Amino acid sequence: MFCVASPELEAKMNVTKGGLVLFSANSNSSCMELSKKIAERLGVEMGKVQVYQEPDRETRVQIQESVRGKDVFIIQTVSRDVNSTIMELLIMVYACKTSCAKSIIGVIPYFPYSKQCKMRKRGSIVSKLLASMMCKAGLTHLITMDLHQKEIQGFFNIPVDNLRASPFLLQYIQEEIPDYRNAVIVAKSPASAKRAQSFAERLRLGIAVIHGEAQDAESDLVDGRHSPPMVRSAAAIHPSLEIPMLIPKEKPPITVVGDVGGRIAIIVDDIIDDVDGFLAAAETLKERGAYKIFVMATHGLLSSDAPRLIEESAIDEVVVTNTIPHEIQKLQCPKIKTVDISMILSEAIRRIHNGESMSYLFRNIGLDD
């Protein structure tokens, strides 16, 4: 793995006070790899629990050891069946609550439904609903990583530690891309320009922004309920009142703001799911003269036929962390590489359990990061 702790840090991380229990809430064995790595770094064994599906598809959780008066950490990585993943977590949290656990801390590296954090038409803010359900079930603290929108922390009425994966990705760039000094950090849309700027400033590199791409669903229609156009009638509005209509948007042709000719292009984002936007960005960068293209993100959802599309694309390498298991996708596409982030999660668990400050894990992180 690319992020290896020093012997001194490893020794410190293995020092935990008694009364800590570590559970994995996944019934899917492929989702337990991260939990095992965290347990190994902490020097503890995984707690004994059974999580399985009944024949009628109901989720059943059976905790097989005492958690009374203990700090319980429940690690939940999101599987392909995201709704079952959520139910497994909620049922386990509630089981620990009714078993008199002292505190119940959820370790959810990728927070599901995080892209549904804004109002669209007459929809709902699902991430707010999910936050309320977790708190109601009995969660007392949440550890997560690179929330899609930092404002999601405000949906909870419990402490939330939103850790960052960028140090690990920056380390990968410095160690695994030999000529990274000839690179430029690229935002595939103006919405991700802040993240690209953060990477560029830390690496002392230039930045480029792709503008005018086809707008995705997230940036479209997020400004409220979008009622139908008003009908002009005396009963509806006062005759002297005329409400101005908003001018509709017109998407400009695709342009690249910044020089990428003869350079390595490193596209950065928080989530890679539907890869169409990344493929279009890669084609645009190739046309503008970039000779190598990397894509880096924290959460590699890589849904549907994303591995095949990446393999056939102009992208040279996709680098994601192991917040979400994607071993099958890596077999389908050798271009996908993984960075291990179990170190920072295990250190967060150790500090919370021992009552130590978390500020060490947020060094040099600004409000815009």
Side-chain angles (χ1 to χ4, degrees):
M1 291 299 175
F2 302 104
C3 298
V4 181
S6 63
E8 294 81 4
L9 181 57
E10 287 282 6
K12 183 180 180 183
M13 290 173 65
N14 287 339
V15 178
T16 56
K17 299 177 183 177
L20 179 148
V21 181
L22 204 64
F23 286 133
S24 175
N26 288 109
S27 59
N28 188 340
S29 59
S30 66
C31 296
M32 297 182 65
E33 292 303 316
L34 181 60
S35 304
K36 293 176 182 177
K37 289 181 179 179
I38 292 173
E40 183 179 348
R41 288 187 179 276
L42 288 169
V44 301
E45 293 185 358
M46 294 297 300
K48 297 176 182 178
V49 64
Q50 278 191 333
V51 183
Y52 58 93
Q53 302 284 337
E54 297 277 16
D56 60 357
R57 300 296 297 164
E58 287 186 359
T59 298
R60 185 173 290 274
V61 173
Q62 293 182 343
I63 297 174
Q64 299 177 320
E65 63 179 87
S66 174
V67 296
R68 181 179 294 272
K70 296 182 180 180
D71 293 331
V72 178
F73 292 83
I74 302 174
I75 304 170
Q76 183 69 317
T77 51
V78 176
S79 67
R80 294 294 153 198
D81 188 356
V82 62
N83 295 324
S84 293
T85 298
I86 292 169
M87 285 305 301
E88 290 168 356
L89 174 66
L90 294 175
I91 294 172
M92 181 171 285
V93 169
Y94 190 64
C96 292
K97 178 183 177 181
T98 55
S99 298
C100 301
K102 176 184 175 184
S103 61
I104 306 167
I105 299 93
V107 183
I108 311 173
Y110 170 67
F111 189 74
Y113 286 95
S114 60
K115 290 196 280 188
Q116 296 190 45
C117 61
K118 297 179 181 178
M119 178 67 76
R120 294 190 187 90
K121 294 190 175 181
R122 293 176 180 83
S124 61
I125 305 176
V126 183
S127 54
K128 166 63 176 172
L129 170 65
L130 185 54
S132 300
M133 291 167 64
M134 289 181 179
C135 295
K136 188 68 175 177
L139 208 64
T140 60
H141 198 133
L142 175 66
I143 301 172
T144 187
M145 180 164 281
D146 281 335
L147 286 170
H148 188 55
Q149 297 288 341
K150 293 190 291 293
E151 292 76 11
I152 292 175
Q153 295 175 82
F155 295 161
F156 291 85
N157 55 15
I158 58 174
V160 177
D161 287 309
N162 181 28
L163 303 175
R164 305 296 196 276
S166 52
F168 299 88
L169 298 175
L170 290 167
Q171 183 178 10
Y172 182 95
I173 293 173
Q174 292 173 317
E175 295 181 359
E176 301 298 323
I177 304 178
D179 47 350
Y180 81 93
R181 289 293 180 189
N182 187 37
V184 59
I185 305 298
V186 179
K188 72 179 181 69
S189 68
S192 55
K194 282 187 177 180
R195 179 180 295 270
Q197 181 183 359
S198 175
F199 272 68
E201 290 176 351
R202 282 169 168 77
L203 293 168
R204 282 38 170 192
L205 299 177
I207 184 173
V209 180
I210 299 176
H211 178 54
E213 64 174 342
Q215 207 164 23
D216 58 17
E218 183 183 351
S219 59
D220 198 21
L221 302 178
V222 295
D223 55 342
R225 294 166 181 77
H226 291 276
S227 297
M230 293 180 298
V231 178
R232 283 180 173 273
S233 69
I237 58 175
H238 192 276
S240 63
L241 178 63
E242 184 173 348
I243 300 176
M245 299 295 292
L246 191 64
I247 299 172
K249 294 179 181 179
E250 183 176 338
K251 298 167 189 172
I254 293 179
T255 57
V256 178
V257 181
D259 181 23
V260 297
R263 312 280 289 277
I264 299 172
I266 303 176
I267 305 171
V268 296
D269 213 333
D270 62 328
I271 298 173
I272 301 179
D273 187 6
D274 179 9
V275 298
D276 290 344
F278 293 95
L279 303 184
E283 290 294 334
T284 301
L285 294 170
K286 278 288 186 183
E287 293 172 1
R288 301 300 195 278
Y291 72 91
K292 247 183 188 179
I293 298 172
F294 291 79
V295 175
M296 312 200 79
T298 303
H299 309 296
L301 299 181
L302 301 169
S303 302
S304 189
D305 55 351
R308 178 184 62 81
L309 294 173
I310 292 171
E311 185 66 25
E312 297 171 355
S313 72
I315 297 172
D316 293 282
E317 196 168 286
V318 173
V319 183
V320 292
T321 72
N322 56 345
T323 56
I324 296 173
H326 46 259
E327 294 304 316
I328 295 176
Q329 289 88 333
K330 288 175 68 175
L331 294 174
Q332 297 171 339
C333 178
K335 292 182 179 181
I336 300 172
K337 309 296 181 184
T338 306
V339 175
D340 180 29
I341 44 80
S342 62
M343 180 194 302
I344 192 170
L345 293 174
S346 56
E347 178 65 0
I349 291 171
R350 188 193 68 81
R351 285 176 175 271
I352 290 173
H353 175 60
N354 292 344
E356 299 177 19
S357 171
M358 293 287 286
S359 60
Y360 176 82
L361 303 180
F362 294 93
R363 293 171 302 166
N364 301 323
I365 294 177
L367 291 175
D368 293 333
D369 292 328

